[in-house]
């Protein structure tokens, strides 16, 4: 039975009740428009020992910039709840638009160094919006395993850091990106793409694939690998925000030879649609 609640107090009470009855809570925070990537997080929570899974759906205004897609972001609550029922989610928390922030709200949670580059550089204020809402969800849910996707690689790292730095009683877990059969990373924003744009969007997976192949063949020059990825994306996308090769833990850029684990992160636009993707060389399977 899937219980759907809209009030913060109901989320807190339901999570407390799960623990009180000896259950272990899994938490899956989302912005809705659910796809198989989101539902894989539900399965991941179970795999990690959660007896009950709570999935939250909130399009968080704090994490969108003024010229971003907050207003047109897909909102499909009825279909999302149906998918949650099919997946056996125990609890759905879907607060109304003005349901998360009380009047006069003026507090924020900020992770500093990890948020300066990549998404942080191109979306000022984005991560403060993310960490603030996720901190609130963690406070409401209480001790749990919280499952995130590595599709949003930097976001996962930032949330992991926040929970550790602030002694939050949360086990922050992550799982690999779920992709369509042709390699496109699943994303709620994919539904903005026309069939022709959807085809061009494969440039990112092609680029990441080329990077894996080069790395597998022994290439360790970060700039050369980034150039190969760009070569697949440039002709298909309208603009590129970044193609970056960085240390997979610190997200510091490599100056030339790659040592240790490297993550390639990409953000690029087709029309008004901005897509992000990433892969960890020598670790993730090639898209
Ligand atoms: P969102 O609804 O886009 O904010 O995403 C909610 C959660 O789902 C985040 O932890 C994302 O990283 C994760 N997620 C989104 N897309 C994917 C995907 N294709 N594979 C795995 N996790 C994903």
């Amino acid at each position: 039975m899937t219980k759907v609640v809209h009030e913060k107090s109901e989320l807190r009470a339901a999570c407390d009740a799960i623990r009180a009855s000896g259950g272990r809570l899994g938490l899956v925070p989302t912005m809705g428009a659910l796809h198989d990537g989101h539902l894989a997080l539900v399965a991941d929570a179970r795999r990690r020992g959660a007896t009950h899974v709570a999935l939250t759906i909130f399009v968080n205004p704090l994490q969108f910039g003024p010229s971003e897609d907050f207003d047109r972001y897909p909102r499909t609550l009825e279909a999302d709840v149906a998918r949650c029922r099919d997946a056996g989610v125990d609890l759905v928390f879907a607060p109304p638009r003005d349901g998360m922030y009380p009047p006069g709200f003026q507090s924020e949670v900020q992770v500093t160094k990890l948020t300066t580059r990549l998404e942080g550089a191109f979306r000022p204020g984005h991560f403060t919006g993310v960490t603030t809402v996720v901190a609130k969800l963690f406070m409401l849910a209480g001790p749990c395993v919280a499952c995130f996707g590595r599709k949003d690689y930097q976001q996962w790292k930032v949330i992991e850091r926040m929970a550790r730095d602030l002694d939050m009683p949360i086990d922050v877990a992550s799982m690999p990106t779920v992709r369509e059969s042709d390699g496109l990373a699943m994303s709620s924003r994919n539904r903005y793409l026309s069939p022709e744009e959807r085809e061009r969007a494969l440039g990112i997976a092609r680029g990441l694939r080329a990077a894996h192949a080069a790395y597998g063949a022994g290439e360790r020059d970060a700039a050369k690998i980034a150039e190969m990825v760009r070569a697949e994306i440039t002709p298909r996308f309208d603009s590129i925000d970044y193609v970056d090769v960085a240390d997979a833990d610190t997200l510091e850029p490599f100056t030339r030879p790659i040592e240790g684990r490297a993550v390639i992160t990409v953000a690029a636009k087709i029309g008004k649609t901005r897509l992000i993707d990433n892969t960890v060389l020598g670790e993730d399977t090639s898209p």
Side-chain angles (χ1 to χ4, degrees):
M1 254 293 279
T2 305
K3 184 174 174 180
V4 182
V5 301
H6 303 284
E7 298 290 331
K8 291 188 284 187
S9 56
E10 295 174 296
L11 172 65
R12 171 167 282 153
C15 293
D16 285 348
I18 288 166
R19 279 183 301 269
S21 65
R24 287 159 63 107
L25 178 67
L27 181 71
V28 177
T30 81
M31 298 202 298
L34 299 182
H35 50 67
D36 288 350
H38 294 117
L39 297 172
L41 295 175
V42 173
D44 192 45
R46 292 238 166 73
R47 243 188 331 268
R48 293 172 187 280
T51 56
H52 295 71
V53 178
L55 183 142
T56 70
I57 298 175
F58 181 61
V59 185
N60 172 33
L62 282 192
Q63 70 189 69
F64 286 79
S67 59
E68 294 182 0
D69 57 347
F70 175 72
D71 284 326
R72 70 175 189 134
Y73 198 86
R75 289 166 173 86
T76 59
L77 184 58
E78 233 173 276
D80 289 351
V81 169
R83 297 210 67 174
C84 286
R85 285 194 206 287
D86 290 344
V89 169
D90 300 273
L91 183 66
V92 174
F93 173 57
R97 261 184 192 232
D98 59 355
M100 279 305 282
Y101 303 107
F105 183 83
Q106 50 187 294
S107 305
E108 45 184 46
V109 177
Q110 195 180 9
V111 172
T112 54
K113 225 161 71 191
L114 262 178
T115 62
T116 52
R117 301 184 63 245
L118 310 171
E119 288 301 280
F122 283 88
R123 303 184 68 187
H126 168 68
F127 281 122
T128 300
V130 168
T131 40
T132 299
V133 79
V134 172
K136 284 167 68 72
L137 291 170
F138 284 179
M139 302 278 206
L140 292 165
C144 62
V145 55
C147 296
F148 294 87
R150 297 208 282 272
K151 156 78 168 37
D152 299 273
Y153 192 91
Q154 189 178 16
Q155 169 176 282
W156 159 55
K157 284 284 161 202
V158 166
I159 289 167
E160 189 183 55
R161 188 77 251 168
M162 169 187 78
R164 198 180 307 155
D165 287 354
L166 300 182
D167 301 307
M168 294 175 171
I170 311 289
D171 177 9
V172 175
S174 75
M175 64 164 289
T177 301
V178 178
R179 298 178 182 279
E180 305 284 359
S181 55
D182 57 9
L184 182 70
M186 290 188 185
S187 164
S188 303
R189 289 186 169 99
N190 289 350
R191 64 182 76 193
Y192 298 150
L193 300 169
S194 69
E196 181 264 335
E197 292 173 330
R198 165 79 179 63
E199 196 55 35
R200 284 159 58 198
L202 293 175
I204 294 182
R206 291 172 67 113
L208 298 181
R209 233 175 266 145
H212 272 283
Y215 185 85
E219 181 61 75
R220 291 295 181 271
D221 185 318
K224 275 195 192 154
I225 291 181
E227 213 29 67
M228 285 174 203
V229 179
R230 272 182 183 274
E232 296 292 343
I233 299 173
T234 304
R236 297 178 176 86
F237 279 67
D238 296 314
S239 62
I240 296 179
D241 279 356
Y242 58 82
V243 172
D244 190 82
V245 185
D247 181 283
D249 294 312
T250 64
L251 298 184
E252 294 293 331
F254 280 112
T255 47
R256 298 255 141 191
I258 293 172
E259 286 166 36
R261 295 164 63 249
V263 61
I264 304 183
T265 51
V266 172
K269 282 188 195 157
I270 294 183
K272 278 198 234 160
T273 305
R274 184 173 183 278
L275 300 178
I276 62 170
D277 203 343
N278 69 83
T279 197
V280 177
L281 293 174
E283 188 171 293
D284 287 338
T285 46
S286 184

